[in-house]
Amino acid sequence: MLEMTREEFEELVAEALDRIPPELTRLMDNVAVFVEDEPPAGDPDLLGLYEGTPLTERGEWYAGVLPDRITVYRGPTLRLCDTREDVVAETEVTVVHEIAHHFGIDDARLHALGYG
């Protein structure tokens, strides 16, 4: 397995977030991004997870709620990748994939776009 400290991986996630076009990041609302070492036990290969209410489903009722949560998992990403360059690319795909869920884009559409 490729070795990378949590700090190094967090920096890659931050860099992937920085590459999101500003016109999209301005639209993101009430969402926080986290890095965890491992996903829930029932899904050991999970690279990222979006938990929350997509922007497309929010209505007048949406107020006073905790932020949506995007989590990127270091362990499965490092086990999947062979090189640091692979980790950079996979982290970017994962970040874009989870942000797309925040915008209401489902897995089928993301797979069609190459972000599966």
Side-chain angles (χ1 to χ4, degrees), residues 14-34:
E15 290 170 4
L17 287 166
D18 287 344
R19 285 190 289 277
I20 302 296
E23 54 272 14
L24 291 180
T25 57
R26 280 193 295 273
L27 298 173
M28 293 173 64
D29 182 47
N30 200 32
V31 61
V33 178
F34 298 90

Side-chain angles (χ1 to χ4, degrees), residues 9-111:
F9 190 77
E10 287 173 347
E11 182 62 30
L12 291 181
V13 171
E15 290 170 4
L17 287 166
D18 287 344
R19 285 190 289 277
I20 302 296
E23 54 272 14
L24 291 180
T25 57
R26 280 193 295 273
L27 298 173
M28 293 173 64
D29 182 47
N30 200 32
V31 61
V33 178
F34 298 90
V35 170
E36 297 289 341
D37 288 329
E38 295 295 334
D43 204 350
D45 298 326
L46 188 66
L47 302 179
L49 181 65
Y50 169 76
E51 299 170 284
T53 304
L55 295 174
T56 55
E57 296 178 16
R58 296 179 185 180
E60 292 178 17
W61 58 268
Y62 189 85
V65 298
L66 292 174
D68 291 2
R69 181 180 177 102
I70 291 173
T71 307
V72 181
Y73 298 105
R74 182 174 70 99
T77 304
L78 295 180
R79 289 191 292 275
L80 176 69
C81 298
D82 294 321
T83 67
R84 180 177 176 81
E85 292 77 23
D86 292 343
V87 175
V88 170
E90 190 59 53
T91 300
E92 187 165 326
V93 167
T94 300
V95 167
V96 168
H97 183 108
E98 302 311 328
I99 288 174
H101 286 319
H102 177 68
F103 283 101
I105 302 171
D106 65 16
D107 280 330
R109 181 68 178 136
L110 286 168
H111 285 277

